[in-house]
Amino acid sequence: MINEDNLSFEELGQKNVNGKNIHWFPGHMMKTLRLMEKEIKNVDVVIVLLDARIPYSSQNPEIDAIIKNKPKVYILNKRDLADNYITNNWIKYFKDKGQGAIALNSKTGKNSKNVINQIEDELEDLLKRRQDKGIDGTKIRAMMVGIPNVGKSTFINSLAGSQRAKAQDRPGVTRGKQWVTVGNLDLLDMPGVLWRKFENQNVAANLAFIGSIKDDILDIETLAIALINDIKNIYPDMLIERYKITNEDIKMDSYDILCKIARKRGMLLPGGIENTERAAIMLCDEFRSSKLGKISLERPEYCQLPTT
């Protein structure tokens, strides 16, 4: 944990201190990658949870390299926080690539059972072979993978209809593999894993925006300024409405907008100076809880996901 030596936006994925790169890739994440490599041959299908707000950035290339051509189903989770129109475009994008995909709000559990239908569609040939051999009662073994804080535990609980896995709104809660049985499905839940090194800083920023990288290793003000910059370019009206700023204000530099928000919310230090740190924390929290509105930071026409 690096409380006193925060990372800037440009260095979200890594930082050079005394000649050493520092990034948030705890030891348990490397252990998880090794465990995935060991277990991948023992499962029939992989369930890949993505965040519906950033489906491209939440797809971990470290995991892609392990699961390779294994049958998979993509779950765009937290769809209630994302722009519904953009999410539907993402689902079409995946399906046009011949990949199973479904969007969910795991907290409500609505449509969670449809995931099993998607899995059975992906495994149609395997299930037919099992039926021909008279072993069609054999359970389907699936591995659940994703980045931290994408909602894997909440999804498992909604699918199982009970509290089978720990679920908290912070990254890094699940630390070890867990097997959960749901009907004809044996589900192996893997802890969330990030990249060992971020080559793309836009990806690193998007992960930080949604809370998959711990805030206490980041410069929260710089993060909030970057988030404002993204939102004002795609959903300016949301900033205007939520923080009662004007159309002229939205044209200002993103730091000046953060100062304006701090002043509008009465977040002032002695002498009337804007408390931009407090405003930054508030803004990031309100984005993550969808208080600004349903926001998608990525659109499929601007992203290229790997095909299988």
Side-chain angles (χ1 to χ4, degrees):
M1 199 70 67
I2 312 166
N3 294 314
E4 72 283 358
D5 201 1
N6 291 341
L7 307 185
S8 70
F9 171 62
E10 292 77 16
E11 301 166 317
L12 283 174
Q14 55 185 5
K15 185 175 182 180
N16 187 278
V17 178
N18 295 326
K20 295 182 179 180
N21 287 331
I22 296 178
H23 54 279
W24 193 53
F25 190 78
H28 75 272
M29 290 189 182
M30 177 59 74
K31 181 179 178 181
T32 297
L33 288 175
R34 290 171 179 162
L35 187 58
M36 286 181 187
E37 292 174 343
K38 177 182 177 182
E39 296 286 350
I40 191 65
K41 62 181 180 294
N42 299 321
V43 300
D44 304 310
V45 64
V46 180
I47 301 173
V48 184
L49 249 70
L50 306 176
D51 190 297
R53 296 166 293 182
I54 53 167
Y56 174 74
S57 292
S58 55
Q59 185 160 341
N60 188 339
E62 303 265 7
I63 296 175
D64 288 339
I66 293 172
I67 63 180
K68 295 180 180 176
N69 295 322
K70 183 70 70 170
K72 59 183 71 68
V73 172
Y74 290 96
I75 309 297
L76 276 65
N77 199 26
K78 303 188 180 183
R79 73 168 303 163
D80 54 309
L81 306 181
D83 184 321
N84 193 56
Y85 175 77
I86 302 302
T87 298
N88 289 337
N89 284 345
W90 274 107
I91 294 298
K92 182 179 184 300
Y93 176 91
F94 280 106
K95 291 188 174 180
D96 286 348
K97 298 289 184 181
Q99 300 167 338
I102 187 172
L104 293 175
N105 172 9
S106 293
K107 287 188 176 180
T108 66
K110 186 178 180 181
N111 296 328
S112 293
K113 300 296 183 181
N114 290 344
V115 175
I116 295 178
N117 296 333
Q118 288 280 338
I119 291 171
E120 291 175 346
D121 287 345
E122 288 297 308
L123 298 179
E124 182 178 3
D125 292 341
L126 173 64
L127 297 179
K128 180 65 167 57
R129 291 196 300 271
R130 287 181 178 178
Q131 186 177 34
D132 292 343
K133 294 178 181 179
I135 56 172
D136 50 309
T138 303
K139 290 186 180 297
I140 296 171
R141 293 168 68 87
M143 180 186 291
M144 169 81 71
V145 300
I147 60 172
N149 208 34
V150 76
K152 294 189 305 300
S153 296
T154 302
F155 168 74
I156 290 174
N157 291 332
S158 68
L159 191 64
S162 62
Q163 290 294 112
R164 303 290 187 92
K166 295 178 182 179
Q168 296 183 34
D169 189 20
R170 60 185 177 88
V173 172
T174 303
R175 290 299 180 91
K177 69 174 184 178
Q178 305 179 79
W179 280 101
V180 178
T181 299
V182 182
N184 195 40
L185 184 68
D186 277 344
L187 186 59
L188 176 59
D189 177 26
M190 288 290 183
V193 179
L194 286 174
W195 293 238
R196 274 174 276 201
K197 180 180 179 181
F198 291 111
E199 301 291 347
N200 185 324
Q201 292 305 306
N202 289 329
V203 168
N206 284 337
L207 293 169
F209 292 156
I210 68 168
S212 290
I213 298 175
K214 288 189 175 181
D215 285 342
D216 54 9
I217 67 167
L218 306 172
D219 183 317
I220 194 66
E221 292 171 79
T222 310
L223 183 65
I225 291 166
L227 181 56
I228 289 172
N229 195 58
D230 273 12
I231 297 174
K232 77 174 184 177
N233 288 329
I234 50 179
Y235 300 98
D237 291 345
M238 290 187 181
L239 285 172
I240 291 169
E241 181 177 351
R242 180 67 187 175
Y243 300 113
K244 310 304 179 188
I245 58 179
T246 68
N247 288 313
E248 289 302 312
D249 292 335
I250 209 69
K251 299 174 185 177
M252 297 191 303
D253 178 87
S254 295
Y255 173 75
D256 292 331
I257 293 175
L258 181 63
C259 291
K260 189 81 173 186
I261 290 171
R263 188 162 292 278
K264 283 283 186 179
R265 288 293 179 94
M267 297 177 176
L268 303 175
L269 296 168
I273 300 172
E274 296 91 351
N275 188 336
T276 50
E277 180 180 7
R278 185 181 168 196
I281 293 170
M282 178 268 298
L283 182 116
C284 290
D285 286 345
E286 293 197 347
F287 163 74
R288 291 166 185 168
S289 60
S290 199
K291 290 182 180 178
L292 279 76
K294 296 185 176 184
I295 294 175
S296 293
L297 296 176
E298 295 176 331
R299 287 151 172 74
E301 58 265 32
Y302 301 116
C303 302
Q304 185 60 48
L305 294 176
T307 57
T308 56

